[in-house]
Amino acid sequence: CPAPPRRPYSPPDTAPRDPEAEEDAAMAAFEEASGIKFRHFGLLRQAFTHPSVYHAVVAPGLGTGWHPSARVPLGHGAVAGGVDPRLHNQRLEWLGDALLNLAACDFALHYFPESHEEPVTLLRTALVNNAVLIGAAVRCGMHRCVRHKDALFEEEGSRTRGKMLADAFEAFLGALYLDRQPLGLGLAAVKAFTAATLFEEETDATVDERRWMDPKARLQHCLNEFSALTGARLSKTFELLEEFGPAHERMYVVGCYINGALVASARGLSITDAQMGAALRALESLHLAPEEPEEPEEGEV
C-alpha cells in the first residue's frame, strides 16, 4: 500500500512582518544579527511565543484561558491586545528537541571518531542540557524576542526565565527546519546553526573541564574504577529528603548515598538539579571533584 503523499507544512501564522510592531522589530533585528532571514516570518514569531500569551488573552465569546486552535477561527490581531490565541511554540519546541538531539549526536560522533558509545553519549548530553541552551539563547539575543505574559521571565536567574529561553531555543530550531524544509535544507540549516552557536562554542571547554561528564556520571565512573581496582562493590542511590516552597518555585532536597550511607545532600529547583548537586558534593567529600575553571562560564542568566 503506497504511503499517502506528504503535504508541505503550512505555517498557521501567515501575517507578514510588521515594522511598526515592537516585537516584530526585535525579531527582525535577530534575523539581521544571525544572518538568517525567514521565508515565513510567522514561524519565527511562533517560535518565540510562549503559551502564557494565550492564557492572558480574552477572545470574544470565549473568555480567558487556553483555547484549542480549531475552535478559535480568528485571524492575526483580531483579539484583545493584537494577539492571535491560536499560536504557541510548544509544537515547534517538541520538533526542535528531536532535531537538537540528532544534531548533537552527529557532532559528538565526529568529535570522538574512534570512541565507543559512552563518551559520545555523555558529550551529547552535556551539549544539550538546559544551562547550555540558556547561555546559547542569550548569546544569540533570543531573550529580547520572547513574547510572554509572565512577570517571572523578567527576573534574572529565575527558573521560569531559564525554561522559557531553553524552550525558545529548541522552538527556533523547529521553525528553522520547517522554513528551510521545502528547499531541502532543513536539517542542514539546523546543523549549521547549532554548530556555530552551541557546539563549537561549548565543546572544547566541556571536554577540557570534564563537564562532558555530569556529576552523577562522574561519581558513577569513579565508583566503577574503585570497584575494579579493589574488588569492593560500591553503589550510589539518591533519596528525596525534603521539598518546600510555592508550586512555581518548588525546592527539593536530595541525599546521595553510597552503599546505604548518606555522603552528601543538596537542594535544587528540580529533583534532577538536586541530585546533580548532591553528587557533586559527594565527589568533593571524597576529594574526586575536578578543579574549578579560572573564569566563569559565559551566558549565565
Side-chain angles (χ1 to χ4, degrees):
C1 179
R6 290 182 57 191
R7 293 182 299 173
Y9 182 79
S10 177
D13 183 351
T14 58
R17 293 170 175 80
D18 182 359
E20 302 298 324
E22 182 179 348
E23 292 172 336
D24 283 8
M27 295 179 209
F30 169 81
E31 283 184 306
E32 184 176 354
S34 65
I36 299 175
K37 188 81 167 180
F38 268 70
R39 299 166 62 247
H40 301 288
F41 190 75
L43 279 170
L44 184 62
R45 186 186 291 117
Q46 183 181 357
F48 288 140
T49 302
H50 186 260
S52 62
V53 168
Y54 310 127
H55 290 286
V57 167
V58 180
L62 294 174
T64 59
W66 172 257
H67 304 289
S69 59
R71 300 185 182 183
V72 188
L74 301 171
H76 179 76
V79 296
V83 181
D84 188 331
R86 293 182 300 171
L87 307 175
H88 64 87
N89 66 2
Q90 288 184 334
R91 281 168 56 89
L92 292 178
E93 183 260 330
W94 172 79
L95 174 61
D97 177 68
L99 291 166
L100 175 63
N101 275 282
L102 177 59
C105 284
D106 180 75
F107 185 89
L109 201 65
H110 286 85
Y111 192 89
F112 287 133
E114 299 179 0
S115 296
H116 54 82
E117 182 182 2
E118 183 181 8
V120 176
T121 300
L122 291 171
L123 177 60
R124 181 206 64 190
T125 302
L127 292 176
V128 300
N129 69 56
N130 271 10
V132 173
L133 297 186
I134 292 166
V138 172
R139 287 194 299 271
C140 294
M142 291 184 181
H143 59 299
R144 302 186 184 95
C145 302
V146 175
R147 307 166 70 209
H148 66 92
K149 295 290 183 181
D150 193 327
L152 290 174
F153 181 80
E154 305 303 331
E155 295 183 10
E156 296 286 334
S158 74
R159 181 185 182 187
T160 298
R161 178 183 175 87
K163 187 176 188 310
M164 280 192 195
L165 288 173
D167 289 351
F169 187 92
E170 292 181 332
F172 172 81
L173 298 182
L176 179 61
Y177 174 83
L178 293 175
D179 191 66
R180 298 298 195 265
Q181 186 183 28
L183 305 175
L185 300 173
L187 186 56
V190 169
K191 289 170 67 176
F193 181 81
T194 51
T197 63
L198 186 61
F199 303 149
E200 292 174 1
E201 182 81 23
E202 294 285 340
T203 302
D204 288 343
T206 296
V207 173
D208 292 344
E209 298 167 13
R210 288 180 286 177
R211 282 186 278 137
W212 62 286
M213 293 185 73
D214 64 45
K216 289 174 64 176
R218 194 181 307 126
L219 178 59
Q220 185 62 58
H221 178 74
C222 292
L223 295 179
N224 290 344
E225 284 196 335
F226 182 85
S227 296
L229 289 172
T230 65
R233 179 176 175 78
L234 298 178
S235 63
K236 74 177 191 310
T237 56
F238 295 93
E239 182 179 332
L240 180 63
L241 303 178
E242 185 183 358
E243 58 180 284
F244 56 90
H248 67 278
E249 291 285 344
R250 199 73 174 158
M251 190 67 70
Y252 302 89
V253 180
V254 168
C256 177
Y257 294 78
I258 296 180
N259 284 8
L262 179 63
V263 176
S265 63
R267 65 180 184 177
L269 290 172
S270 70
I271 292 178
T272 299
D273 288 344
Q275 288 178 344
M276 292 294 182
L280 181 58
R281 289 188 175 181
L283 285 165
E284 292 170 347
S285 69
L286 298 172
H287 305 289
L288 298 172
E291 294 181 2
E292 292 294 324
E294 295 182 1
E295 297 181 1
E297 297 179 36
E298 296 182 1
E300 290 185 352
V301 182

